[in-house]
Every structure is written in structure tokens, then in C-alpha cells.
Amino acid sequence: MRLFYAIFPPRQIQEALAEVQARVRGFKGWKLSPPHQLHLTLLFLGEQPQARLPEFRRVGQAVAAGVPAFEIELGGTGYFPPTGSPRVWFVKASGAGLEPLSQGFQQALSDIPAKAFSPHLTLARKKGPAPRIGPVVLQLKFEAKAVCLVESKLERSGSQYRVLQEFPLG
């Protein structure tokens, strides 16, 4: 199973982000993230045996319970990598609980290799030649109330996500 912990924005934020995504819709080289799948990854677990699911559920509940609900602000857009030909177009995210959640998951699951945490939502991935889009400043806010354990299946049409469990924040 390919798993990760994430926060999903509410529908009205997804709809606002879909309007921003329309800026690259005319370029074949950009593949948009489906608005209902836009999320903020807290820790990518990668391929894991199903036998570890109970452990991931316990960790999800414990870490989420230790962080109170908080506000997430979506600021400006950016690219990964920041120079040269970009592969990912994203919107930056900030919020008081993001680092404690990410660090909590990394500490509880220290056997999982973790990358440096850079809070963002991926708006589109570059699949071929396509221009950079100028910066967009969003200033969108929403309250994070829960963390999700998500299964990702790679399909021909792209990744499909299924929320396995939602853990309310403390």
C-alpha cells in the first residue's frame, strides 16, 4: 500500500484553487491535480505492508490529538525546482500546526525516510514543454481540523486517493 498523512482543504478552497489552475489549462505540458485531491502532505510513507496499518492508525490518532486545530494560509505560488525547468507548480502553505504535525509523524515513524518539510499544495505537474506561469498571490485561509491517512494508487489516469481514516486535531 502506498500511504501518506495529509490535510485536505474544504471544498470552497478547492474550488478557489481550481480557478487558479485554469491559468495553465491551455498548456498541454501541465497536468492539473484534480481539485478534490488537492492536499498538503505531512509525511509520505511510501509503499508499506498492510500489516502496518494498525500502527499508522495509532500514530495518526496520537499525533493529531497533540496538536490543536489551527488556521492554514495559502500564499503565493512557486515551482519545484525553483530554477531551471520546473516539474511542479504549487501554492505555499503556512500555519502554526504544520511543523508540529510533520515533526510528530517523523519522530513517531523514525524508520520512514523523511524529506525536508516544505508545506505546499501541488497545483500541477509538468509533463512536457510548457511555460512558467507568473506568480499568483492567493491569501486564502481555512481551519485545519483533522489529518487523514491516505492510500494512493497509481492508475493510468494518475494517482487516485482514498482516505482510510480521519484523525481530529486535539
Side-chain angles (χ1 to χ4, degrees):
M1 309 179 79
R2 193 167 181 251
L3 303 171
F4 62 93
Y5 292 106
I7 293 174
F8 286 86
R11 178 171 290 199
Q12 68 270 23
I13 297 295
Q14 293 171 345
E15 290 170 359
L17 293 172
E19 290 177 23
V20 173
Q21 290 177 305
R23 295 175 187 229
V24 298
R25 189 162 279 131
F27 304 111
K28 291 182 179 178
W30 286 107
K31 182 176 181 188
L32 301 178
S33 300
H36 70 281
Q37 290 193 166
L38 291 170
H39 66 277
L40 213 158
T41 301
L42 297 166
L43 180 65
F44 182 72
L45 303 171
E47 280 294 329
Q48 297 294 329
Q50 190 162 357
R52 287 193 75 181
L53 262 182
E55 174 190 6
F56 295 137
R57 291 178 193 273
R58 278 193 308 275
V59 167
Q61 187 166 11
V63 171
V67 177
F70 61 97
E71 185 175 83
I72 293 179
E73 182 172 349
L74 303 178
T77 57
Y79 293 97
F80 292 133
T83 60
S85 182
R87 292 188 330 264
V88 172
W89 184 44
F90 65 89
V91 60
K92 299 171 195 167
S94 60
L98 291 173
E99 282 290 333
L101 286 170
S102 177
Q103 289 176 0
F105 286 122
Q106 289 178 22
Q107 289 170 359
L109 300 165
S110 59
D111 65 312
I112 306 287
K115 295 180 181 177
F117 183 56
S118 177
H120 70 278
L121 285 94
T122 297
L123 297 171
R125 295 182 187 282
K126 191 172 171 189
K127 299 294 183 184
R132 284 180 178 254
I133 306 302
V136 180
V137 178
L138 302 175
Q139 296 182 333
L140 297 172
K141 295 179 182 179
F142 67 95
E143 184 175 8
K145 298 178 183 174
V147 170
C148 298
L149 176 61
V150 184
E151 179 182 21
S152 171
K153 288 190 175 182
L154 299 175
E155 307 282 340
R156 292 188 96 182
S157 59
S159 297
Q160 300 299 314
Y161 302 148
R162 181 171 68 110
V163 173
L164 300 177
Q165 191 163 350
E166 186 174 291
F167 310 102
L169 294 177

